[in-house]
Structure formats: C-alpha cells, structure tokens
Amino acid sequence: MSAAPYLRSQAEAEAASLPPLLAHAEHLAGTVLLGEHGRRRAGMGDDFWQYRPVQPGDSLRHIDWRRSAKSDAQFVRQREWQVAQSVMMWVDTAPSMLFASDKDTPQKADRARLLALALAILLIRSGERVGLTGTELPPRRGELQIMRLAEVFLRDDADGEIPDYGTPESRAMLPHARAVFISDFMGDFDAVQVALTKAADRGVVGACLQVLDPAEEDFPYKGRAIFESMGGSLSHDTKKADDLRLRYLERLAERQAALKDLCRATGWLYGYHSTGQPAQAALLWLHRALERRG
C-alpha cells in the first residue's frame, strides 16, 4: 500500500526536472472534449490566453478596446483552445522485464513503470486524459487517475502461467488517440506488428520505447555460462559464451531495425533507453515524441 505513493514520488521527481510541456493534439474525432485545462492555442475556449497586435484580416469585433486604449496599438484578446486528447499506454509487465544484470541497475520493469507514471503526471497536468490500453483503466484526467495508474503498475498479476515475453495490448484503442508502448520488445515480433497495424488502422499514432539492460546491449559474458529466461521456459548452456556475442548483437540489431521500420510504416516513432542511463532523457524523448505525434 505504501509503495504506490513512493513510486509516484519518484515519478514526480523525474517530472519536476522538466518544464511542464503541453501535449499538442490534432482535432481528433471522438476524442476531443471541452475541459477546464487545454492546450495553449487560440480558439473557442472561455479562458483568456493572451493579447496580440491586430493583424490584417482581424474583425473589429475581436479587438479589445480597453487594452488597446492603454497604448498606441490595437490588440486582439485571444482565448484558449480547450481540448484534451486521450493518451493510452501499454507497459510490459512480462517476466523478461524483471531482468537486471547488476544490483545497482534497476529492473527494466521498474524503469518502464517509472517512466510511464512520470509521463502520465506531466500529461495530466497539461490537461490530457491518460489511461491504459485494454478495458481496465480508460483514459481520464485528474490526480486520482495518477494514483489509479500507480496501483495498476504495482499490482502483482502473477496468477497462473505468464509467458516470458510480453505481447502488446491493443484492445479498446480509441480512434485517433495517441499511444505509448514501453517494453524490451524481445518477444514475438509478429504480435508487435499486429498491435501497431491495428492501432494505425484506427488512426492511433504514438511511440514505442525499447528498454534494455546494459548487459543486453553489450553481451559481456565469457566462458561457461547458462542463459535462462526470467520465466524459466528457455535455457541454454554454453562453454564459450563469448562465441555467441557477435551473433547475439547481430540479432539485436536486426530486431531494432525491424522495430524502426515498423514504426516508420505505421506512423509511430521508435526510441531506445538503457536502464544504465538516467531516466530524464527518456522521459523528455517520450514527451517530444507525443508532441510530434499530435
């Protein structure tokens, strides 16, 4: 019970190190709604945004004569465009995400959850609706939604047999929403392809962030080694682990190239993050990726 506020405090610490960024959204059918907090863009909202000098083509009825009387120029009073868009997240919780090669390096799952929650905090503060793919936690706004997300991320769903590698959840994707998938993407590539293609068919654009441990990047193993999957379903015993390094790195490069190509074909963005690096750069990349997808 005490872990949820702790995870949130960590995520808020990451979020606090970045300036609040307003997620830019398109006019999206089915996901646009009026709200109290919107994007800082001129439009039909009720809240004041800014004054700007009159430009050719402006109607006289838009001029704020009281503000204009205080100077030699005429000014138009612009209002905020009040729209909030849904951002849907899938965070891989499969056993493969529990891997950490060093006690000082966080598990991939911990880093993925931290990044997702920090991103949700920033988006919700910007007036966006954030939720999870699937039907469990639909996109909502407000501080309570942050706590709901933290509780889901920290819940132990280890009932029954769980596959070693995660499969992206793409059910209940709202048309024309944005999405974030965070995973090691080491499992069935066809499942990732199906999920992103399905999302693209519904007008959903977003970003895939691949999270890997430093040992999964470099393959530093030598000599006798036994490699086992985190779920225990796969095992490989070798006397010369260093002989596998080149083949492993080639396969990893092939997988990353395939992910990049898939993202490019479906209108998504591909990003990469190592758990050996600070989380801030990955959080900033995710925000910028969503901004470009808007």
Side-chain angles (χ1 to χ4, degrees):
M1 183 174 180
S2 61
Y6 174 70
L7 176 61
R8 182 185 170 192
S9 68
Q10 285 186 294
E12 286 183 326
E14 293 292 342
S17 64
L18 299 174
L21 299 177
L22 299 178
H24 296 299
E26 299 175 350
H27 296 272
L28 302 175
T31 60
V32 176
L33 61 108
L34 295 177
E36 295 178 353
H37 304 285
R39 299 195 313 181
R40 288 295 185 179
R41 179 170 172 179
M44 299 303 294
D46 294 328
D47 293 342
F48 169 73
W49 177 30
Q50 69 174 7
Y51 292 111
R52 67 162 175 80
V54 170
Q55 300 173 353
D58 286 334
S59 172
L60 290 177
R61 64 186 178 88
H62 291 150
I63 296 176
D64 189 293
W65 296 106
R66 178 176 298 180
R67 172 64 181 83
S68 300
K70 297 178 180 179
S71 67
D72 296 331
Q74 293 179 331
F75 290 88
V76 169
R77 181 184 179 92
Q78 288 186 305
R79 298 183 184 277
E80 224 176 299
W81 184 35
Q82 292 181 304
V83 296
Q85 184 180 349
S86 296
V87 178
M88 310 188 73
M89 297 181 174
W90 172 69
V91 181
D92 192 351
T93 58
S96 70
M97 295 294 289
L98 300 177
F99 178 68
S101 60
D102 185 271
K103 63 180 179 62
D104 296 324
T105 302
Q107 293 180 356
K108 293 182 290 183
D110 289 341
R111 180 56 58 85
R113 292 164 181 162
L114 177 61
L115 287 171
L117 191 57
L119 181 63
I121 290 170
L122 291 173
L123 290 169
I124 287 174
R125 285 177 179 171
S126 299
E128 305 291 348
R129 301 191 306 173
V130 180
L132 301 178
T133 57
T135 59
E136 181 178 16
L137 190 58
R140 296 187 182 95
R141 293 185 296 172
E143 293 294 313
L144 182 57
Q145 184 72 349
I146 294 173
M147 295 305 300
R148 293 190 187 105
L149 287 165
E151 290 169 359
V152 172
F153 290 155
L154 290 168
R155 191 173 58 210
D156 184 5
D157 293 327
D159 295 333
E161 185 176 347
I162 301 177
D164 276 320
Y165 300 96
T167 299
E169 169 64 87
S170 58
R171 293 177 301 159
M173 298 282 278
L174 298 178
H176 306 290
R178 287 171 296 162
V180 173
F181 287 1
I182 305 178
S183 171
D184 58 13
F185 294 105
M186 299 286 269
D188 182 12
F189 181 78
D190 289 342
V192 182
Q193 188 171 26
V194 169
L196 262 65
T197 301
K198 180 179 178 180
D201 288 343
R202 296 181 67 83
V204 177
V205 292
C208 288
L209 181 67
Q210 185 178 31
V211 177
L212 296 180
D213 183 272
E216 293 174 324
E217 300 176 280
D218 302 329
F219 200 84
Y221 307 105
K222 297 180 180 181
R224 176 69 182 272
I226 300 177
F227 297 99
E228 292 183 344
S229 61
M230 296 301 295
S233 65
L234 301 173
S235 179
H236 180 73
D237 187 350
T238 180
K239 294 181 179 179
K240 295 183 178 181
D242 41 322
D243 287 349
L244 300 176
R245 185 172 187 272
L246 182 59
R247 279 184 288 169
Y248 169 83
L249 293 178
E250 288 176 348
R251 291 289 298 274
L252 177 61
E254 290 172 0
R255 172 55 60 94
Q256 291 179 320
L259 285 169
K260 292 176 184 177
D261 290 342
L262 176 60
C263 287
R264 190 179 303 112
T266 53
W268 285 48
L269 293 176
Y270 167 83
Y272 169 76
H273 174 64
S274 169
T275 56
Q277 299 297 320
Q280 181 180 347
L283 178 59
L284 181 58
W285 182 87
L286 284 168
H287 253 284
R288 289 177 174 173
L290 285 184
E291 188 174 40
R292 289 196 294 269
R293 296 299 84 187

